[in-house]
Amino acid sequence: MPEFPEMEALRQLLEEPVRAFPIERAGPAHVATLKTFDPPLSALEGRRLEGVERRGKRLLFPTDDGELVLLVHLMTAGRLRHLLAGEKGPKTPAFRLAFAGGSQLVLTEAGSKKRAGVWLLTREAADAEVAHLGPEAASIGAERLGEILARDGRRLHSLLRDQRELAGIGRAWANEILHTAKLSPYALSRDLDGEQVERLAEAIDAELFRGLELRLAGAKDTRVYRVHNRLGEPCHVCGTPIARVDYEEHTVYYCPSCQTGGRVLKDRRLSRLLR
Ligand SMILES: [Zn+2]
């Protein structure tokens, strides 16, 4: 799932092109992708977008009259692209905005499961839609992060991915951040001392902005991730093979030397099979 680096890079890349021309035609939209029906998509036609905002992993496209906001959540497999006039697009996009002059914004989704979503909302409803999100993870700072960590005793990997606590980090960047911070994914948030909180805050910024820079340069996953999806490969800091713990929905990658004092964490899936 795209996280802060991917979504912020996309926001910056789309900012200029989406406001260059008014919207000529909004839709079609896949029935599972469009989550709202009032106002209708046609309400966008003839209006101009002001640009792109990002909140956590969501992109918001406000109209320049301040009345409407198109909200997009790509989930795991959604992909949003701007196509120039004449550029060949997908035959059946999950969603499309056609601009005067011929350029388009198209959302596609790989696979049969349609999980990505598009909402057309009033400004007030859009604000309400993102109101549950915690503060932006990027540039959170040690003081604010310390307050969030102290609220309850959560495993760090799980807390970092909780959008209500911090917005913008998912499973991939949680792996990268915790590795850079030299903290165990299973350390309890409340157990961190001041120096560790400081290190975690610095690692959040170092990793998220490293990722943003690489994504803006068009880098693919294999160049961007140093820990995530690298089972058995040498840790880029100490050379120890990267280990992982599997869950149903996600996988935690970590370096046993850098992060867990040499301990190899139990693979939950394996231990369940053996039980
Ligand atoms: Zn290491």
Side-chain angles (χ1 to χ4, degrees), residues 179 182 234-242 254-259:
H179 180 270
K182 297 193 184 301
C235 164
H236 69 93
V237 174
C238 73
T240 302
I242 296 293
Y254 67 99
C255 170
S257 297
C258 291
Q259 293 176 260

Side-chain angles (χ1 to χ4, degrees), residues 217-271:
K220 303 282 179 231
D221 290 359
T222 48
R223 235 192 101 206
V224 171
Y225 300 137
R226 302 187 291 194
V227 181
H228 182 69
N229 272 345
R230 294 208 179 263
L231 177 68
E233 293 181 40
C235 164
H236 69 93
V237 174
C238 73
T240 302
I242 296 293
R244 78 172 181 203
V245 184
D246 283 316
Y247 291 92
E248 305 282 336
E249 289 286 319
H250 71 282
T251 305
V252 174
Y253 292 86
Y254 67 99
C255 170
S257 297
C258 291
Q259 293 176 260
T260 58
R263 275 179 304 126
V264 174
L265 304 170
K266 200 178 271 177
D267 186 319
R268 309 283 169 115
R269 193 173 58 182
L270 195 63
S271 58

Side-chain angles (χ1 to χ4, degrees), residues 6-272:
E6 293 73 34
M7 296 313 291
E8 177 57 22
L10 188 55
R11 187 197 73 73
Q12 292 185 24
L13 294 171
L14 293 177
E15 174 87 354
E16 290 299 325
V18 300
R19 65 183 183 203
F21 296 97
I23 295 164
E24 195 168 76
R25 185 144 182 268
H30 190 283
V31 64
T33 305
L34 184 64
K35 311 290 187 187
T36 52
F37 58 89
D38 183 26
L41 275 184
S42 59
L44 281 172
E45 292 169 3
R47 298 189 205 232
R48 195 184 275 259
L49 296 176
E50 192 176 56
V52 196
E53 301 165 8
R54 183 193 51 76
R55 191 66 181 89
K57 303 173 188 174
R58 294 162 174 77
L59 290 184
L60 294 87
F61 301 81
T63 56
D64 69 356
D65 53 21
E67 288 181 7
L68 299 172
V69 177
L70 185 74
L71 189 152
V72 177
H73 195 329
L74 298 178
M75 298 301 289
T76 311
R79 186 165 173 231
L80 195 60
R81 278 180 302 157
H82 179 262
L83 302 173
L84 297 171
E87 206 174 334
K88 206 167 149 42
K91 266 204 201 83
T92 51
F95 176 72
R96 174 164 53 202
L97 278 187
F99 298 96
S103 63
Q104 302 177 59
L105 185 69
V106 293
L107 171 67
T108 52
E109 191 168 15
S112 55
K113 274 190 192 150
K114 295 287 172 240
R115 296 180 62 206
V118 169
W119 292 252
L120 182 59
L121 303 161
T122 61
R123 180 78 245 190
E124 298 71 37
D127 291 342
E129 186 71 30
V130 295
H132 69 285
L133 295 172
E136 289 292 318
S139 309
I140 183 80
E143 193 178 328
R144 217 153 162 217
L145 180 64
E147 290 164 14
I148 293 168
L149 294 172
R151 278 210 287 262
D152 60 343
R154 299 265 306 273
R155 306 277 178 200
L156 287 184
H157 199 278
S158 151
L159 186 143
L160 287 181
R161 288 184 289 111
D162 186 339
Q163 303 305 299
R164 290 165 193 271
E165 301 282 1
L166 271 180
I169 300 172
R171 55 194 179 171
W173 287 101
N175 288 330
E176 300 296 324
I177 288 165
L178 289 169
H179 180 270
T180 293
K182 297 193 184 301
L183 291 169
S184 166
Y186 297 104
L188 289 174
S189 57
R190 225 173 0 210
D191 292 348
L192 265 55
D193 63 27
E195 191 267 330
Q196 290 172 317
V197 172
E198 195 88 33
R199 229 159 63 206
L200 183 55
E202 281 170 17
I204 288 174
D205 285 0
E207 285 303 317
L208 293 183
F209 290 108
R210 178 179 72 83
L212 172 59
E213 202 170 305
L214 286 167
R215 292 302 190 186
L216 282 171
K220 303 282 179 231
D221 290 359
T222 48
R223 235 192 101 206
V224 171
Y225 300 137
R226 302 187 291 194
V227 181
H228 182 69
N229 272 345
R230 294 208 179 263
L231 177 68
E233 293 181 40
C235 164
H236 69 93
V237 174
C238 73
T240 302
I242 296 293
R244 78 172 181 203
V245 184
D246 283 316
Y247 291 92
E248 305 282 336
E249 289 286 319
H250 71 282
T251 305
V252 174
Y253 292 86
Y254 67 99
C255 170
S257 297
C258 291
Q259 293 176 260
T260 58
R263 275 179 304 126
V264 174
L265 304 170
K266 200 178 271 177
D267 186 319
R268 309 283 169 115
R269 193 173 58 182
L270 195 63
S271 58
R272 197 170 48 239

